[in-house]
Amino acid sequence: AASNSSVSFGAKPFGIGTRPPQYRPIIDRTRCAIVFGVSLGVASHPLDAIVGGWEIAGIYRYESGQYLRFNSMVAPSESPKLIGEVGAGKYWFDTSAFRTLPAFTRRANPWQYSDLKGPNYKNVDLALSKRIPIRGNVTLNPRLEAYNLLNGMNWAVPSTTITESNFGQVVRQADAYFGRQLQYTLRVIF
């Protein structure tokens, strides 16, 4: 027999498995990591010195974009149309229905719209290393790491302050985000 259970947040009931908009996660995230090693299994085999001992490790990261938060202004009751363009003079969402709030007027617009988010974030990092036995317990370990391997661009959220000249535009890259970076190391393990 099916039950009609519900859970309450305040005075409004919501079915199990659903949440009111203000309790939904801000960002949907996915991360995937993989490590793969190659070895022939016979350390004395001459081919194992070339093919064996390699290790490749990678991380893929995806974030669906943050909900856009709006401060005090006259805003539309329905979600503005998503345009999705980036760069100066191009708009992420339709700004035509927004206006500045008259003086001494209380804020009545929504903080966010359920279907209006900023740009997605995607990144791939990769590391390649090899263990080279030198003698006894001594091992040489060269390693190459690539951050932002695909050299993709991740954009910041658009401006949501109506008094700014770039309101509704995405004009800068995400914070703490850089182009492709390579790092190499050589370790001696003993």
Side-chain angles (χ1 to χ4, degrees), residues 164-186:
E164 290 183 0
S165 62
N166 60 350
F167 174 64
Q169 298 177 28
V170 178
V171 293
R172 59 185 179 86
Q173 69 183 20
D175 292 335
Y177 182 76
F178 307 98
R180 182 184 301 124
Q181 295 180 348
L182 297 176
Q183 172 179 304
Y184 54 90
T185 59
L186 181 63

Side-chain angles (χ1 to χ4, degrees), residues 5-7 14-18:
S5 300
S6 68
V7 129
F14 291 89
I16 297 295
T18 62

Side-chain angles (χ1 to χ4, degrees), residues 84-100:
E85 295 182 356
V86 295
K90 298 179 180 178
Y91 291 90
W92 185 256
F93 59 90
D94 182 14
T95 60
S96 62
F98 293 90
R99 293 186 317 277
T100 55

Side-chain angles (χ1 to χ4, degrees), residues 6-188:
S6 68
V7 129
S8 256
F9 290 95
K12 292 184 175 181
F14 291 89
I16 297 295
T18 62
R19 296 164 130 181
Q22 67 268 26
Y23 293 103
R24 289 190 184 132
I26 293 175
I27 302 172
D28 297 319
R29 297 177 177 162
T30 301
R31 288 183 175 86
C32 179
I34 187 167
V35 177
F36 182 73
V38 177
S39 177
L40 294 179
V42 181
S44 61
H45 195 282
L47 193 56
D48 192 55
I50 299 168
V51 177
W54 285 99
E55 183 177 274
I56 188 167
I59 298 175
Y60 172 75
R61 178 179 163 195
Y62 172 83
E63 295 180 4
S64 67
Q66 298 177 358
Y67 285 107
L68 302 181
R69 298 289 174 112
F70 294 90
N71 52 15
S72 297
M73 63 182 69
V74 176
S77 57
E78 296 295 319
S79 181
K81 178 184 172 197
L82 176 67
I83 299 170
E85 295 182 356
V86 295
K90 298 179 180 178
Y91 291 90
W92 185 256
F93 59 90
D94 182 14
T95 60
S96 62
F98 293 90
R99 293 186 317 277
T100 55
L101 196 62
F104 308 108
T105 305
R106 295 185 73 186
R107 177 189 166 285
N109 64 291
W111 279 109
Q112 68 188 32
Y113 297 96
S114 63
D115 58 346
L116 186 61
K117 293 183 178 183
N120 295 339
Y121 182 97
K122 293 178 267 190
N123 190 46
V124 175
D125 297 333
L126 194 71
L128 179 66
S129 66
K130 179 162 175 63
R131 292 179 189 247
I132 305 169
I134 302 296
R135 145 174 50 144
N137 289 340
V138 180
T139 305
L140 188 65
N141 184 225
R143 182 177 177 93
L144 176 67
E145 299 170 348
Y147 302 101
N148 188 11
L149 177 69
L150 304 177
N151 203 26
M153 180 63 170
N154 285 313
W155 295 95
V157 295
S159 169
T160 56
T161 304
I162 195 163
T163 55
E164 290 183 0
S165 62
N166 60 350
F167 174 64
Q169 298 177 28
V170 178
V171 293
R172 59 185 179 86
Q173 69 183 20
D175 292 335
Y177 182 76
F178 307 98
R180 182 184 301 124
Q181 295 180 348
L182 297 176
Q183 172 179 304
Y184 54 90
T185 59
L186 181 63
R187 293 189 313 176
V188 176

